[in-house]
Amino acid sequence: MEEQRISIKGVDLLQLLGWHDSHLRYLEKYFPAKIVIRHDEIRFSGPPSEVDALKHAFTEMLFLLNRNGKLEQKDVETVVDMIRAGDADVSKELDTQPPIILYTKHSVIRPRTKGQEDYVASVAKNDIVFAIGPAGTGKTYLAVAFALAQLREKNMSRIILTRPAIEAGESLGFLPGDLMEKVDPYLRPLTDALFDMLSADQLQKYVDRKIIEIVPLGYMRGRTLNDAFVILDEAQNASALQMKMFLTRLGNHSKAIVTGDITQVDLPDRVQSGLIQIQNVLQHIEGIGFVYFDKQDVVRHRLVKKIIQAYENFDDTRDEG
């Protein structure tokens, strides 16, 4: 008898095992080794040849799930057929795939450009990361994915998402409704990312329990954020004073990502952008990373890259004139 194990930490078990464990039942028909799922791992025990085959099958299935974001019955059948034929080699490509950041309800989130890969590396290495670049490069979306991954792995106990409500001048009292209704238009990109990664029920549960907080930047004063993953979005519209206030909120065992596009500052002319200033203040401090995106990192509609390039060309021509 032999026992082997595979880690399934962060894996969507419904996708891996199938509806009502249909994938699991199918495997058990062909590989009689015992399968036990405990916490973040799968354990196989039985005759060595059966254990090896079953571990191989799950390795292939995890590869397909990572690559495609889902695992269908026909995929499991193909894996079983290949292993029984002795020619399963799908996972040879596994190490060449970009790292998975998060398993979501629809797919997997992983870096898609060189800039995004640098982003992943910087977040892993640093406690504070500034992600600067044009719209459509995944700065905010990936930041939310990083935060949810840390929450799921129990590395952080809560997520704080914030943005400067610059259009309302941080003076929200004149708007109708409660706080969330007032700030919803300014925080919508953050909630859109959350809805894309979580079910509505799960998101509501996190919000109700204060595990996820979504607040305007002006409401961060006086707080100390311990054991939290904190994201400041649209930071080009935070003043220098607001930026300092935000960064000094960070408490013990916390991480922060600050995102923004320094070409899209909406502050009054007399107010300096904190995101522009901070590049000269914190650039060489260990534990703080700066990642810069350009139009090559745009992952939205193919025309977005061309639009950004057109504006750059227009600005260059105007400057020369």
Side-chain angles (χ1 to χ4, degrees), residues 95-203:
D95 290 338
T96 66
Q97 296 292 311
I100 300 293
I101 299 171
L102 182 73
Y103 293 86
T104 75
K105 60 184 180 180
H106 298 305
S107 61
V108 294
I109 299 174
R110 66 189 342 146
R112 295 167 59 185
T113 69
K114 179 60 169 61
Q116 290 187 353
E117 289 182 11
D118 293 342
Y119 194 14
V120 172
S122 186
V123 171
K125 179 181 177 182
N126 300 292
D127 284 340
I128 300 176
V129 173
F130 294 88
I132 300 172
T137 51
K139 304 183 301 296
T140 301
Y141 193 81
L142 291 183
V144 173
F146 292 136
L148 284 173
Q150 292 290 300
L151 186 66
R152 286 184 180 177
E153 293 175 13
K154 296 182 170 57
N155 293 329
M156 301 286 176
S157 64
R158 56 182 174 153
I159 298 171
I160 314 292
L161 308 173
T162 186
R163 261 187 164 203
I166 186 63
E167 293 88 348
E170 296 283 3
S171 299
L172 301 166
F174 66 89
L175 294 174
D178 61 20
L179 175 61
M180 288 308 297
E181 290 172 332
K182 292 175 182 179
V183 303
D184 182 71
Y186 315 111
L187 302 175
R188 175 66 59 151
L190 296 170
T191 55
D192 284 347
L194 288 168
F195 274 119
D196 200 40
M197 299 175 200
L198 298 171
S199 68
D201 289 344
Q202 192 174 26
L203 177 56

Side-chain angles (χ1 to χ4, degrees), residues 12 22 26 32 43 48 53 79 89 111 124 130 153 158 167 209 213 215-217 221 260 282 285 295-296 309:
D12 184 337
S22 58
Y26 188 84
R43 303 175 185 178
V79 166
D89 59 0
F130 294 88
E153 293 175 13
R158 56 182 174 153
E167 293 88 348
R209 295 180 180 179
E213 290 186 60
V215 295
L217 181 58
R221 291 185 179 88
L282 302 180
I285 295 180
K295 59 181 178 292
Q296 301 305 318
Q309 182 63 61

Side-chain angles (χ1 to χ4, degrees), residues 5-48:
R5 305 179 182 192
I6 286 181
S7 173
I8 52 172
K9 189 173 184 179
V11 174
D12 184 337
L13 287 183
L14 179 61
Q15 285 285 348
L16 179 64
L17 303 180
W19 185 253
H20 294 306
D21 291 340
S22 58
H23 299 164
L24 189 60
R25 302 284 85 84
Y26 188 84
L27 290 170
E28 289 175 336
K29 285 169 52 179
Y30 295 95
F31 307 111
K34 183 179 180 181
I35 305 171
V36 177
I37 300 171
R38 292 280 171 79
H39 305 297
D40 293 330
E41 65 181 17
I42 301 178
R43 303 175 185 178
F44 316 104
S45 59

Side-chain angles (χ1 to χ4, degrees), residues 62-308:
L62 285 167
F63 166 68
L64 293 171
L65 178 57
N66 289 346
R67 187 186 66 182
N68 302 331
K70 60 183 179 179
L71 189 67
E72 299 180 352
Q73 182 66 27
K74 62 181 178 63
D75 297 324
V76 180
E77 293 171 3
T78 299
V79 166
V80 170
D81 290 344
M82 292 175 69
I83 291 176
R84 296 181 74 202
D87 61 355
D89 59 0
V90 178
S91 62
K92 286 183 178 179
E93 303 175 38
L94 188 59
D95 290 338
T96 66
Q97 296 292 311
I100 300 293
I101 299 171
L102 182 73
Y103 293 86
T104 75
K105 60 184 180 180
H106 298 305
S107 61
V108 294
I109 299 174
R110 66 189 342 146
R112 295 167 59 185
T113 69
K114 179 60 169 61
Q116 290 187 353
E117 289 182 11
D118 293 342
Y119 194 14
V120 172
S122 186
V123 171
K125 179 181 177 182
N126 300 292
D127 284 340
I128 300 176
V129 173
F130 294 88
I132 300 172
T137 51
K139 304 183 301 296
T140 301
Y141 193 81
L142 291 183
V144 173
F146 292 136
L148 284 173
Q150 292 290 300
L151 186 66
R152 286 184 180 177
E153 293 175 13
K154 296 182 170 57
N155 293 329
M156 301 286 176
S157 64
R158 56 182 174 153
I159 298 171
I160 314 292
L161 308 173
T162 186
R163 261 187 164 203
I166 186 63
E167 293 88 348
E170 296 283 3
S171 299
L172 301 166
F174 66 89
L175 294 174
D178 61 20
L179 175 61
M180 288 308 297
E181 290 172 332
K182 292 175 182 179
V183 303
D184 182 71
Y186 315 111
L187 302 175
R188 175 66 59 151
L190 296 170
T191 55
D192 284 347
L194 288 168
F195 274 119
D196 200 40
M197 299 175 200
L198 298 171
S199 68
D201 289 344
Q202 192 174 26
L203 177 56
Q204 188 62 54
K205 180 180 72 174
Y206 281 154
V207 171
D208 289 345
R209 295 180 180 179
K210 303 295 185 183
I211 294 172
I212 294 179
E213 290 186 60
I214 309 170
V215 295
L217 181 58
Y219 287 75
M220 297 286 283
R221 291 185 179 88
R223 302 187 63 180
T224 300
L225 305 175
N226 294 314
D227 199 28
F229 201 112
V230 193
I231 299 171
L232 170 58
D233 191 40
E234 292 291 314
Q236 75 275 5
N237 289 327
S239 69
L241 286 176
Q242 287 176 321
M243 179 65 74
K244 181 180 179 181
M245 179 273 293
F246 170 79
L247 292 174
T248 54
R249 299 307 92 202
L250 210 61
N252 294 320
H253 192 239
S254 292
K255 291 176 75 80
I257 295 180
V258 179
T259 71
D261 178 359
I262 56 176
T263 69
Q264 299 289 326
V265 177
D266 296 318
L267 291 167
D269 291 341
R270 68 183 184 279
V271 179
Q272 184 177 22
S273 167
L275 187 59
I276 292 176
Q277 182 197 63
I278 208 70
Q279 297 172 85
N280 298 319
V281 177
L282 302 180
Q283 188 69 250
H284 303 294
I285 295 180
E286 186 176 355
I288 297 177
F290 285 82
V291 180
Y292 293 91
F293 297 89
D294 59 29
K295 59 181 178 292
Q296 301 305 318
D297 295 304
V298 171
V299 291
R300 288 184 184 167
H301 192 286
R302 59 183 178 81
L303 288 177
V304 174
K305 289 183 183 179
K306 295 182 179 181
I307 290 169
I308 293 171

